[in-house]
Amino acid sequence: MPQLTEQADKVTSTQQDFLPIHGTDHVEFYVGNAKQSAYFYRASMGFTLVAYRGPETGTRDRASYVLQQNKIRFVLTTPLQPSGEIADHVYHHGDGVKSIALWVDDAQSAWEETTARGAQSVREPFTIKDENGTARLSSIALYGDTIHTFVERADYRGPFLPGFIETPGPDRIARPAGLMHIDHMVGNVGWGQMNTWVEFYERVMGFRMFKHFDDQDISTEYSALMSKVMTNGNERIRFPINEPAVGRKKSQIEEYLDYYGSPGVQHIAMATHDIIESVTVLRDQGVEFLSIPTTYYEDLTARVGRIDEPIDELARLGILVDRDDEGYMLQIFTKPVEDRPTLFYEIIQRKGSRSFGKGNFKALFEAIEREQARRGNL
Ligand code: FE2
């Protein structure tokens, strides 16, 4: 009965395809001082300034800097007045991710399909234009004050979006670090909220669960968390969702929620083709990473088998390794990049593995807890 099977497949793929996503379009941060934050991302993290919008371009209430490194695009936005949505966000959360923008073919349909399935609208579809063409955007609410923005840009040829100007000349501050694309972005949500957001991604966005860890997987002597990874149809988008679990002391998720003041984005993982080179460059440029005890490397070969990279190099840089049945992966985590212990970054290189470093959680969380204890928050 091959015909019947084919028809069933088609129905399934149509059902899953109500929200086709090409990838992450950009991530917009609300920050206290975008001009100075942009220096950190350029001189330390390897991004290049590509576009700008502010009073000089006719925008009166905010200034935004667009930074790019290969396929990764960050927008840093700061308020120019003491009141309003951006100023409120910075007051309550400190610097943090406001919008995870997704690249779609049809921002109208993305908004209609998701709001029809229960998403709360933040902004109805709208069109913006300049001499470089037209773009269409819409937004829906996510956890905390975070939103998803749908970006339709097939008819736009400018440096970023209408209203932004290309920055003149080469960026003399940018020092590229070989970061290629966003691998995954992790959200921290409150006690008992993980399944609510898992269901949101399933029902509203048409995502499915990628991997599942429970608190037995992710616990140390003191604290624990639970995490589920959601992915879209083409698996280009991966959003792990964490919630705290009961432990003897305060978990890193609770510390985040206390300081961010609500659920929000915990870390962004950026992929590289050469993690040793990228981390060497980032360390030279002043990026601070979590330190890993040398004992981690003593039994590394026994745990993960043979790998291409010299173990002494990995130990010197503090890079972690994990293996699953498809291959292995290398990863490292920065310290929080704000004074509040909130958002941090992961640098990741995949060599076959599609997982998230479950074998490293214990070593990693013990490193995070040492930092928490130094802040008096454990
Ligand atoms: Fe991660």
Side-chain angles (χ1 to χ4, degrees):
M1 309 267 276
Q3 267 180 330
L4 271 181
T5 313
E6 210 178 293
Q7 217 166 22
D9 283 351
K10 260 181 202 157
V11 171
T12 311
S13 69
T14 313
Q15 282 169 342
Q16 286 170 344
D17 262 354
F18 68 83
L19 183 58
I21 300 170
H22 296 298
T24 309
D25 188 273
H26 65 271
V27 181
E28 183 170 22
F29 302 72
Y30 283 174
V31 301
N33 185 339
K35 185 176 241 180
Q36 289 192 10
S37 293
Y39 265 71
F40 168 76
Y41 282 99
R42 295 152 77 194
S44 290
M45 296 291 283
F47 285 77
T48 298
L49 180 63
V50 296
Y52 170 79
R53 176 174 77 176
E56 301 86 347
T57 69
T59 301
R60 304 305 302 172
D61 68 335
R62 67 189 69 188
S64 295
Y65 295 75
V66 182
L67 305 163
Q68 193 158 354
Q69 187 165 185
N70 299 300
K71 287 184 181 168
I72 310 166
R73 190 155 49 193
F74 288 167
V75 181
L76 305 175
T77 294
T78 200
L80 300 178
Q81 275 97 33
S83 61
E85 179 232 343
I86 308 167
D88 284 351
H89 199 278
V90 173
Y91 176 79
H92 287 291
H93 305 295
D95 292 2
V97 171
K98 175 62 188 180
S99 173
I100 302 169
L102 303 170
W103 175 25
V104 298
D105 284 331
D106 188 338
Q108 175 83 36
S109 150
W111 182 88
E112 283 172 2
E113 295 287 349
T114 51
T115 54
R117 287 171 171 79
Q120 186 194 326
S121 174
V122 171
R123 192 149 179 203
E124 291 187 17
F126 63 101
T127 302
I128 39 176
K129 291 176 188 190
D130 67 11
E131 67 279 10
N132 291 312
T134 301
R136 198 159 169 79
L137 284 76
S138 58
S139 300
I140 59 168
L142 188 56
Y143 42 71
D145 286 330
T146 317
I147 65 172
H148 274 315
T149 299
F150 301 116
V151 181
E152 172 188 336
R153 52 167 68 256
D155 298 324
Y156 192 68
R157 290 160 303 282
F160 176 54
L161 282 173
F164 285 79
I165 56 157
E166 195 167 355
T167 47
D171 186 342
R172 293 180 191 285
I173 294 154
R175 294 190 283 179
L179 306 181
M180 304 307 292
H181 60 88
I182 292 178
D183 185 274
H184 59 275
M185 290 184 69
V186 181
N188 279 346
V189 300
W191 292 95
Q193 291 297 301
M194 178 178 67
N195 286 329
T196 304
W197 291 102
V198 164
E199 282 165 33
F200 169 90
Y201 277 111
E202 284 173 346
R203 181 172 45 86
V204 171
M205 308 277 286
F207 284 34
R208 61 191 160 74
M209 203 180 301
F210 189 79
K211 290 273 177 185
H212 171 222
F213 311 106
D214 63 24
D215 52 347
Q216 255 90 56
D217 289 330
I218 315 180
S219 66
T220 64
E221 187 187 349
Y222 293 133
S223 62
L225 67 80
M226 294 195 281
S227 187
K228 289 180 179 173
V229 180
M230 304 308 294
T231 190
N232 71 325
N234 60 18
E235 291 191 7
R236 284 185 200 167
I237 307 288
R238 284 170 295 207
F239 293 141
I241 314 277
N242 295 335
E243 73 169 42
V246 178
R248 276 174 53 202
K249 293 196 179 184
K250 180 185 279 195
S251 75
Q252 49 157 320
I253 311 300
E254 289 172 88
E255 188 195 37
Y256 174 100
L257 295 170
D258 284 353
Y259 281 86
Y260 199 66
S262 78
V265 172
Q266 179 211 36
H267 76 265
I268 301 174
M270 301 187 283
T272 170
H273 299 317
D274 184 347
I275 196 165
I276 289 177
E277 173 63 17
S278 289
V279 173
T280 300
V281 169
L282 292 167
R283 279 194 182 276
D284 283 350
Q285 293 172 181
V287 176
E288 295 180 311
F289 291 95
L290 290 177
S291 57
I292 301 300
T294 50
T295 51
Y296 173 88
Y297 297 93
E298 285 166 7
D299 58 348
L300 186 64
T301 312
R303 269 188 292 124
V304 302
R306 276 184 61 86
I307 55 172
D308 301 334
E309 295 74 16
I311 300 213
D312 57 337
E313 282 283 280
L314 300 180
R316 185 177 60 80
L317 294 166
I319 295 167
L320 305 169
V321 190
D322 197 20
R323 184 184 284 280
D324 59 27
D325 47 10
E326 295 180 304
Y328 68 99
M329 54 94 93
L330 305 108
Q331 63 183 168
I332 189 170
F333 296 84
T334 73
K335 293 183 181 181
V337 295
E338 313 76 17
D339 291 298
R340 296 193 198 194
T342 53
L343 179 82
F344 59 87
Y345 288 95
E346 173 181 349
I347 312 301
I348 184 167
Q349 182 178 5
R350 295 190 180 279
K351 293 196 148 179
S353 166
R354 292 186 300 150
S355 61
F356 295 83
K358 176 176 149 179
N360 289 324
F361 285 159
K362 194 170 164 60
L364 178 66
F365 291 173
E366 284 168 355
I368 291 173
E369 284 166 8
R370 282 193 297 277
E371 297 289 324
Q372 259 181 277
R374 289 179 59 208
R375 294 190 284 263
N377 291 333
L378 186 62

PDB file of all heavy atoms in Angstrom, residues 106-138:
ATOM      1  N   ASP A 106       6.985  34.363   5.322  1.00  0.00           N
ATOM      2  CA  ASP A 106       5.710  35.061   5.393  1.00  0.00           C
ATOM      3  C   ASP A 106       5.408  35.439   6.854  1.00  0.00           C
ATOM      4  O   ASP A 106       4.948  34.612   7.638  1.00  0.00           O
ATOM      5  CB  ASP A 106       4.618  34.139   4.829  1.00  0.00           C
ATOM      6  CG  ASP A 106       3.274  34.848   4.690  1.00  0.00           C
ATOM      7  OD1 ASP A 106       3.055  35.863   5.372  1.00  0.00           O
ATOM      8  OD2 ASP A 106       2.440  34.355   3.901  1.00  0.00           O
ATOM      9  N   ALA A 107       5.705  36.694   7.207  1.00  0.00           N
ATOM     10  CA  ALA A 107       5.523  37.144   8.591  1.00  0.00           C
ATOM     11  C   ALA A 107       4.043  37.232   8.962  1.00  0.00           C
ATOM     12  O   ALA A 107       3.674  37.093  10.133  1.00  0.00           O
ATOM     13  CB  ALA A 107       6.199  38.496   8.808  1.00  0.00           C
ATOM     14  N   GLN A 108       3.183  37.472   7.958  1.00  0.00           N
ATOM     15  CA  GLN A 108       1.734  37.524   8.181  1.00  0.00           C
ATOM     16  C   GLN A 108       1.227  36.144   8.589  1.00  0.00           C
ATOM     17  O   GLN A 108       0.552  35.976   9.608  1.00  0.00           O
ATOM     18  CB  GLN A 108       1.044  37.978   6.885  1.00  0.00           C
ATOM     19  CG  GLN A 108      -0.474  37.974   6.924  1.00  0.00           C
ATOM     20  CD  GLN A 108      -1.049  39.231   7.555  1.00  0.00           C
ATOM     21  OE1 GLN A 108      -0.499  40.320   7.371  1.00  0.00           O
ATOM     22  NE2 GLN A 108      -2.124  39.084   8.307  1.00  0.00           N
ATOM     23  N   SER A 109       1.578  35.139   7.772  1.00  0.00           N
ATOM     24  CA  SER A 109       1.114  33.780   8.034  1.00  0.00           C
ATOM     25  C   SER A 109       1.690  33.256   9.352  1.00  0.00           C
ATOM     26  O   SER A 109       0.983  32.605  10.128  1.00  0.00           O
ATOM     27  CB  SER A 109       1.501  32.890   6.854  1.00  0.00           C
ATOM     28  OG  SER A 109       1.715  31.585   7.276  1.00  0.00           O
ATOM     29  N   ALA A 110       2.967  33.551   9.642  1.00  0.00           N
ATOM     30  CA  ALA A 110       3.581  33.086  10.898  1.00  0.00           C
ATOM     31  C   ALA A 110       2.805  33.638  12.094  1.00  0.00           C
ATOM     32  O   ALA A 110       2.539  32.912  13.065  1.00  0.00           O
ATOM     33  CB  ALA A 110       5.045  33.529  10.970  1.00  0.00           C
ATOM     34  N   TRP A 111       2.423  34.901  12.009  1.00  0.00           N
ATOM     35  CA  TRP A 111       1.664  35.528  13.103  1.00  0.00           C
ATOM     36  C   TRP A 111       0.261  34.931  13.204  1.00  0.00           C
ATOM     37  O   TRP A 111      -0.216  34.599  14.295  1.00  0.00           O
ATOM     38  CB  TRP A 111       1.600  37.040  12.861  1.00  0.00           C
ATOM     39  CG  TRP A 111       0.884  37.801  13.928  1.00  0.00           C
ATOM     40  CD1 TRP A 111       1.425  38.309  15.076  1.00  0.00           C
ATOM     41  CD2 TRP A 111      -0.512  38.153  13.938  1.00  0.00           C
ATOM     42  NE1 TRP A 111       0.451  38.949  15.806  1.00  0.00           N
ATOM     43  CE2 TRP A 111      -0.742  38.877  15.135  1.00  0.00           C
ATOM     44  CE3 TRP A 111      -1.576  37.936  13.058  1.00  0.00           C
ATOM     45  CZ2 TRP A 111      -1.998  39.373  15.469  1.00  0.00           C
ATOM     46  CZ3 TRP A 111      -2.833  38.427  13.399  1.00  0.00           C
ATOM     47  CH2 TRP A 111      -3.028  39.136  14.594  1.00  0.00           C
ATOM     48  N   GLU A 112      -0.393  34.756  12.046  1.00  0.00           N
ATOM     49  CA  GLU A 112      -1.762  34.208  12.053  1.00  0.00           C
ATOM     50  C   GLU A 112      -1.780  32.776  12.583  1.00  0.00           C
ATOM     51  O   GLU A 112      -2.629  32.424  13.405  1.00  0.00           O
ATOM     52  CB  GLU A 112      -2.360  34.241  10.635  1.00  0.00           C
ATOM     53  CG  GLU A 112      -2.819  35.627  10.235  1.00  0.00           C
ATOM     54  CD  GLU A 112      -3.235  35.726   8.763  1.00  0.00           C
ATOM     55  OE1 GLU A 112      -3.204  34.688   8.068  1.00  0.00           O
ATOM     56  OE2 GLU A 112      -3.569  36.849   8.336  1.00  0.00           O
ATOM     57  N   GLU A 113      -0.831  31.955  12.101  1.00  0.00           N
ATOM     58  CA  GLU A 113      -0.819  30.540  12.511  1.00  0.00           C
ATOM     59  C   GLU A 113      -0.530  30.390  14.003  1.00  0.00           C
ATOM     60  O   GLU A 113      -1.120  29.547  14.678  1.00  0.00           O
ATOM     61  CB  GLU A 113       0.234  29.763  11.705  1.00  0.00           C
ATOM     62  CG  GLU A 113      -0.048  29.677  10.205  1.00  0.00           C
ATOM     63  CD  GLU A 113      -1.195  28.721   9.867  1.00  0.00           C
ATOM     64  OE1 GLU A 113      -1.628  27.963  10.764  1.00  0.00           O
ATOM     65  OE2 GLU A 113      -1.644  28.734   8.707  1.00  0.00           O
ATOM     66  N   THR A 114       0.401  31.211  14.526  1.00  0.00           N
ATOM     67  CA  THR A 114       0.770  31.052  15.935  1.00  0.00           C
ATOM     68  C   THR A 114      -0.285  31.672  16.859  1.00  0.00           C
ATOM     69  O   THR A 114      -0.620  31.071  17.886  1.00  0.00           O
ATOM     70  CB  THR A 114       2.163  31.661  16.225  1.00  0.00           C
ATOM     71  OG1 THR A 114       2.214  33.001  15.715  1.00  0.00           O
ATOM     72  CG2 THR A 114       3.269  30.843  15.573  1.00  0.00           C
ATOM     73  N   THR A 115      -0.816  32.829  16.494  1.00  0.00           N
ATOM     74  CA  THR A 115      -1.840  33.429  17.370  1.00  0.00           C
ATOM     75  C   THR A 115      -3.126  32.595  17.342  1.00  0.00           C
ATOM     76  O   THR A 115      -3.811  32.470  18.363  1.00  0.00           O
ATOM     77  CB  THR A 115      -2.140  34.902  17.006  1.00  0.00           C
ATOM     78  OG1 THR A 115      -2.476  34.974  15.621  1.00  0.00           O
ATOM     79  CG2 THR A 115      -0.947  35.795  17.288  1.00  0.00           C
ATOM     80  N   ALA A 116      -3.426  31.980  16.188  1.00  0.00           N
ATOM     81  CA  ALA A 116      -4.603  31.094  16.115  1.00  0.00           C
ATOM     82  C   ALA A 116      -4.434  29.889  17.038  1.00  0.00           C
ATOM     83  O   ALA A 116      -5.412  29.309  17.499  1.00  0.00           O
ATOM     84  CB  ALA A 116      -4.828  30.624  14.683  1.00  0.00           C
ATOM     85  N   ARG A 117      -3.189  29.517  17.321  1.00  0.00           N
ATOM     86  CA  ARG A 117      -2.919  28.371  18.206  1.00  0.00           C
ATOM     87  C   ARG A 117      -2.666  28.804  19.649  1.00  0.00           C
ATOM     88  O   ARG A 117      -2.162  28.025  20.453  1.00  0.00           O
ATOM     89  CB  ARG A 117      -1.728  27.575  17.666  1.00  0.00           C
ATOM     90  CG  ARG A 117      -2.068  26.776  16.414  1.00  0.00           C
ATOM     91  CD  ARG A 117      -0.825  26.180  15.776  1.00  0.00           C
ATOM     92  NE  ARG A 117      -1.179  25.253  14.709  1.00  0.00           N
ATOM     93  CZ  ARG A 117      -1.538  25.619  13.474  1.00  0.00           C
ATOM     94  NH1 ARG A 117      -1.591  26.901  13.164  1.00  0.00           N
ATOM     95  NH2 ARG A 117      -1.858  24.718  12.565  1.00  0.00           N
ATOM     96  N   GLY A 118      -2.910  30.073  19.958  1.00  0.00           N
ATOM     97  CA  GLY A 118      -2.845  30.489  21.359  1.00  0.00           C
ATOM     98  C   GLY A 118      -1.709  31.435  21.714  1.00  0.00           C
ATOM     99  O   GLY A 118      -1.609  31.846  22.875  1.00  0.00           O
ATOM    100  N   ALA A 119      -0.839  31.784  20.748  1.00  0.00           N
ATOM    101  CA  ALA A 119       0.224  32.744  21.076  1.00  0.00           C
ATOM    102  C   ALA A 119      -0.393  34.109  21.359  1.00  0.00           C
ATOM    103  O   ALA A 119      -1.392  34.490  20.735  1.00  0.00           O
ATOM    104  CB  ALA A 119       1.222  32.855  19.920  1.00  0.00           C
ATOM    105  N   GLN A 120       0.226  34.845  22.287  1.00  0.00           N
ATOM    106  CA  GLN A 120      -0.225  36.205  22.571  1.00  0.00           C
ATOM    107  C   GLN A 120       0.495  37.147  21.609  1.00  0.00           C
ATOM    108  O   GLN A 120       1.721  37.128  21.516  1.00  0.00           O
ATOM    109  CB  GLN A 120       0.141  36.528  24.017  1.00  0.00           C
ATOM    110  CG  GLN A 120      -0.383  37.854  24.508  1.00  0.00           C
ATOM    111  CD  GLN A 120       0.300  38.252  25.803  1.00  0.00           C
ATOM    112  OE1 GLN A 120       0.650  37.401  26.638  1.00  0.00           O
ATOM    113  NE2 GLN A 120       0.514  39.549  25.965  1.00  0.00           N
ATOM    114  N   SER A 121      -0.276  37.955  20.894  1.00  0.00           N
ATOM    115  CA  SER A 121       0.345  38.883  19.941  1.00  0.00           C
ATOM    116  C   SER A 121       1.064  40.007  20.676  1.00  0.00           C
ATOM    117  O   SER A 121       0.539  40.561  21.642  1.00  0.00           O
ATOM    118  CB  SER A 121      -0.731  39.491  19.031  1.00  0.00           C
ATOM    119  OG  SER A 121      -0.141  40.487  18.213  1.00  0.00           O
ATOM    120  N   VAL A 122       2.259  40.332  20.224  1.00  0.00           N
ATOM    121  CA  VAL A 122       2.964  41.512  20.726  1.00  0.00           C
ATOM    122  C   VAL A 122       2.872  42.629  19.697  1.00  0.00           C
ATOM    123  O   VAL A 122       2.678  43.791  20.020  1.00  0.00           O
ATOM    124  CB  VAL A 122       4.445  41.183  21.037  1.00  0.00           C
ATOM    125  CG1 VAL A 122       5.247  42.444  21.346  1.00  0.00           C
ATOM    126  CG2 VAL A 122       4.533  40.200  22.206  1.00  0.00           C
ATOM    127  N   ARG A 123       2.998  42.268  18.426  1.00  0.00           N
ATOM    128  CA  ARG A 123       2.829  43.261  17.371  1.00  0.00           C
ATOM    129  C   ARG A 123       2.257  42.592  16.127  1.00  0.00           C
ATOM    130  O   ARG A 123       2.813  41.592  15.644  1.00  0.00           O
ATOM    131  CB  ARG A 123       4.179  43.925  17.049  1.00  0.00           C
ATOM    132  CG  ARG A 123       3.964  45.134  16.181  1.00  0.00           C
ATOM    133  CD  ARG A 123       4.974  46.225  16.384  1.00  0.00           C
ATOM    134  NE  ARG A 123       4.644  47.315  15.470  1.00  0.00           N
ATOM    135  CZ  ARG A 123       5.489  48.219  15.042  1.00  0.00           C
ATOM    136  NH1 ARG A 123       6.738  48.196  15.451  1.00  0.00           N
ATOM    137  NH2 ARG A 123       5.100  49.162  14.207  1.00  0.00           N
ATOM    138  N   GLU A 124       1.152  43.114  15.653  1.00  0.00           N
ATOM    139  CA  GLU A 124       0.533  42.587  14.429  1.00  0.00           C
ATOM    140  C   GLU A 124       1.462  42.831  13.247  1.00  0.00           C
ATOM    141  O   GLU A 124       2.297  43.729  13.288  1.00  0.00           O
ATOM    142  CB  GLU A 124      -0.806  43.290  14.195  1.00  0.00           C
ATOM    143  CG  GLU A 124      -1.833  42.891  15.224  1.00  0.00           C
ATOM    144  CD  GLU A 124      -3.221  43.436  14.906  1.00  0.00           C
ATOM    145  OE1 GLU A 124      -3.451  43.839  13.749  1.00  0.00           O
ATOM    146  OE2 GLU A 124      -4.055  43.435  15.824  1.00  0.00           O
ATOM    147  N   PRO A 125       1.317  42.035  12.181  1.00  0.00           N
ATOM    148  CA  PRO A 125       2.212  42.195  11.029  1.00  0.00           C
ATOM    149  C   PRO A 125       2.227  43.631  10.521  1.00  0.00           C
ATOM    150  O   PRO A 125       1.185  44.269  10.414  1.00  0.00           O
ATOM    151  CB  PRO A 125       1.596  41.245   9.999  1.00  0.00           C
ATOM    152  CG  PRO A 125       0.880  40.218  10.811  1.00  0.00           C
ATOM    153  CD  PRO A 125       0.365  40.934  12.016  1.00  0.00           C
ATOM    154  N   PHE A 126       3.443  44.140  10.244  1.00  0.00           N
ATOM    155  CA  PHE A 126       3.586  45.500   9.724  1.00  0.00           C
ATOM    156  C   PHE A 126       4.727  45.527   8.716  1.00  0.00           C
ATOM    157  O   PHE A 126       5.614  44.670   8.736  1.00  0.00           O
ATOM    158  CB  PHE A 126       3.814  46.519  10.847  1.00  0.00           C
ATOM    159  CG  PHE A 126       5.087  46.306  11.630  1.00  0.00           C
ATOM    160  CD1 PHE A 126       6.219  47.082  11.378  1.00  0.00           C
ATOM    161  CD2 PHE A 126       5.168  45.334  12.622  1.00  0.00           C
ATOM    162  CE1 PHE A 126       7.404  46.885  12.103  1.00  0.00           C
ATOM    163  CE2 PHE A 126       6.345  45.132  13.342  1.00  0.00           C
ATOM    164  CZ  PHE A 126       7.460  45.908  13.088  1.00  0.00           C
ATOM    165  N   THR A 127       4.652  46.521   7.819  1.00  0.00           N
ATOM    166  CA  THR A 127       5.623  46.618   6.732  1.00  0.00           C
ATOM    167  C   THR A 127       6.506  47.830   6.959  1.00  0.00           C
ATOM    168  O   THR A 127       6.014  48.887   7.364  1.00  0.00           O
ATOM    169  CB  THR A 127       4.879  46.755   5.384  1.00  0.00           C
ATOM    170  OG1 THR A 127       4.030  45.610   5.249  1.00  0.00           O
ATOM    171  CG2 THR A 127       5.834  46.807   4.208  1.00  0.00           C
ATOM    172  N   ILE A 128       7.817  47.675   6.738  1.00  0.00           N
ATOM    173  CA  ILE A 128       8.726  48.824   6.785  1.00  0.00           C
ATOM    174  C   ILE A 128       9.489  48.894   5.464  1.00  0.00           C
ATOM    175  O   ILE A 128       9.787  47.861   4.853  1.00  0.00           O
ATOM    176  CB  ILE A 128       9.706  48.774   7.988  1.00  0.00           C
ATOM    177  CG1 ILE A 128      10.204  47.353   8.240  1.00  0.00           C
ATOM    178  CG2 ILE A 128       9.053  49.328   9.237  1.00  0.00           C
ATOM    179  CD1 ILE A 128      11.240  47.263   9.341  1.00  0.00           C
ATOM    180  N   LYS A 129       9.770  50.117   5.026  1.00  0.00           N
ATOM    181  CA  LYS A 129      10.374  50.330   3.707  1.00  0.00           C
ATOM    182  C   LYS A 129      11.474  51.372   3.791  1.00  0.00           C
ATOM    183  O   LYS A 129      11.400  52.285   4.609  1.00  0.00           O
ATOM    184  CB  LYS A 129       9.349  50.911   2.728  1.00  0.00           C
ATOM    185  CG  LYS A 129       8.251  49.992   2.324  1.00  0.00           C
ATOM    186  CD  LYS A 129       7.259  50.734   1.429  1.00  0.00           C
ATOM    187  CE  LYS A 129       6.073  49.802   1.234  1.00  0.00           C
ATOM    188  NZ  LYS A 129       5.127  50.196   0.256  1.00  0.00           N
ATOM    189  N   ASP A 130      12.464  51.247   2.948  1.00  0.00           N
ATOM    190  CA  ASP A 130      13.355  52.364   2.638  1.00  0.00           C
ATOM    191  C   ASP A 130      13.835  52.182   1.202  1.00  0.00           C
ATOM    192  O   ASP A 130      13.259  51.360   0.466  1.00  0.00           O
ATOM    193  CB  ASP A 130      14.489  52.522   3.665  1.00  0.00           C
ATOM    194  CG  ASP A 130      15.501  51.377   3.653  1.00  0.00           C
ATOM    195  OD1 ASP A 130      15.459  50.544   2.721  1.00  0.00           O
ATOM    196  OD2 ASP A 130      16.331  51.318   4.583  1.00  0.00           O
ATOM    197  N   GLU A 131      14.877  52.915   0.803  1.00  0.00           N
ATOM    198  CA  GLU A 131      15.297  52.875  -0.603  1.00  0.00           C
ATOM    199  C   GLU A 131      15.839  51.505  -1.006  1.00  0.00           C
ATOM    200  O   GLU A 131      15.973  51.205  -2.188  1.00  0.00           O
ATOM    201  CB  GLU A 131      16.329  53.985  -0.891  1.00  0.00           C
ATOM    202  CG  GLU A 131      17.679  53.835  -0.206  1.00  0.00           C
ATOM    203  CD  GLU A 131      17.689  54.319   1.249  1.00  0.00           C
ATOM    204  OE1 GLU A 131      16.600  54.600   1.803  1.00  0.00           O
ATOM    205  OE2 GLU A 131      18.795  54.394   1.835  1.00  0.00           O
ATOM    206  N   ASN A 132      16.148  50.628  -0.002  1.00  0.00           N
ATOM    207  CA  ASN A 132      16.681  49.294  -0.311  1.00  0.00           C
ATOM    208  C   ASN A 132      15.608  48.216  -0.386  1.00  0.00           C
ATOM    209  O   ASN A 132      15.931  47.043  -0.582  1.00  0.00           O
ATOM    210  CB  ASN A 132      17.713  48.889   0.740  1.00  0.00           C
ATOM    211  CG  ASN A 132      18.971  49.725   0.637  1.00  0.00           C
ATOM    212  OD1 ASN A 132      19.516  49.904  -0.447  1.00  0.00           O
ATOM    213  ND2 ASN A 132      19.398  50.287   1.751  1.00  0.00           N
ATOM    214  N   GLY A 133      14.331  48.609  -0.206  1.00  0.00           N
ATOM    215  CA  GLY A 133      13.271  47.618  -0.343  1.00  0.00           C
ATOM    216  C   GLY A 133      12.339  47.581   0.847  1.00  0.00           C
ATOM    217  O   GLY A 133      12.247  48.530   1.620  1.00  0.00           O
ATOM    218  N   THR A 134      11.676  46.421   0.979  1.00  0.00           N
ATOM    219  CA  THR A 134      10.585  46.270   1.937  1.00  0.00           C
ATOM    220  C   THR A 134      10.836  45.046   2.814  1.00  0.00           C
ATOM    221  O   THR A 134      11.318  44.026   2.332  1.00  0.00           O
ATOM    222  CB  THR A 134       9.274  46.036   1.157  1.00  0.00           C
ATOM    223  OG1 THR A 134       9.075  47.149   0.302  1.00  0.00           O
ATOM    224  CG2 THR A 134       8.078  45.900   2.078  1.00  0.00           C
ATOM    225  N   ALA A 135      10.499  45.149   4.095  1.00  0.00           N
ATOM    226  CA  ALA A 135      10.501  43.982   4.975  1.00  0.00           C
ATOM    227  C   ALA A 135       9.186  43.971   5.740  1.00  0.00           C
ATOM    228  O   ALA A 135       8.541  45.005   5.916  1.00  0.00           O
ATOM    229  CB  ALA A 135      11.680  44.032   5.941  1.00  0.00           C
ATOM    230  N   ARG A 136       8.794  42.775   6.167  1.00  0.00           N
ATOM    231  CA  ARG A 136       7.551  42.637   6.921  1.00  0.00           C
ATOM    232  C   ARG A 136       7.876  41.882   8.211  1.00  0.00           C
ATOM    233  O   ARG A 136       8.586  40.878   8.189  1.00  0.00           O
ATOM    234  CB  ARG A 136       6.534  41.884   6.060  1.00  0.00           C
ATOM    235  CG  ARG A 136       5.115  42.034   6.512  1.00  0.00           C
ATOM    236  CD  ARG A 136       4.144  41.720   5.357  1.00  0.00           C
ATOM    237  NE  ARG A 136       2.800  41.625   5.856  1.00  0.00           N
ATOM    238  CZ  ARG A 136       2.024  42.670   6.146  1.00  0.00           C
ATOM    239  NH1 ARG A 136       2.487  43.901   5.969  1.00  0.00           N
ATOM    240  NH2 ARG A 136       0.796  42.496   6.605  1.00  0.00           N
ATOM    241  N   LEU A 137       7.364  42.390   9.342  1.00  0.00           N
ATOM    242  CA  LEU A 137       7.665  41.809  10.647  1.00  0.00           C
ATOM    243  C   LEU A 137       6.386  41.610  11.454  1.00  0.00           C
ATOM    244  O   LEU A 137       5.382  42.290  11.213  1.00  0.00           O
ATOM    245  CB  LEU A 137       8.599  42.733  11.456  1.00  0.00           C
ATOM    246  CG  LEU A 137      10.087  42.777  11.095  1.00  0.00           C
ATOM    247  CD1 LEU A 137      10.330  43.576   9.835  1.00  0.00           C
ATOM    248  CD2 LEU A 137      10.896  43.356  12.232  1.00  0.00           C
ATOM    249  N   SER A 138       6.454  40.694  12.433  1.00  0.00           N
ATOM    250  CA  SER A 138       5.370  40.531  13.412  1.00  0.00           C
ATOM    251  C   SER A 138       5.997  39.900  14.649  1.00  0.00           C
ATOM    252  O   SER A 138       7.093  39.334  14.558  1.00  0.00           O
ATOM    253  CB  SER A 138       4.255  39.641  12.842  1.00  0.00           C
ATOM    254  OG  SER A 138       4.765  38.367  12.483  1.00  0.00           O
TER     255      SER A 138
END
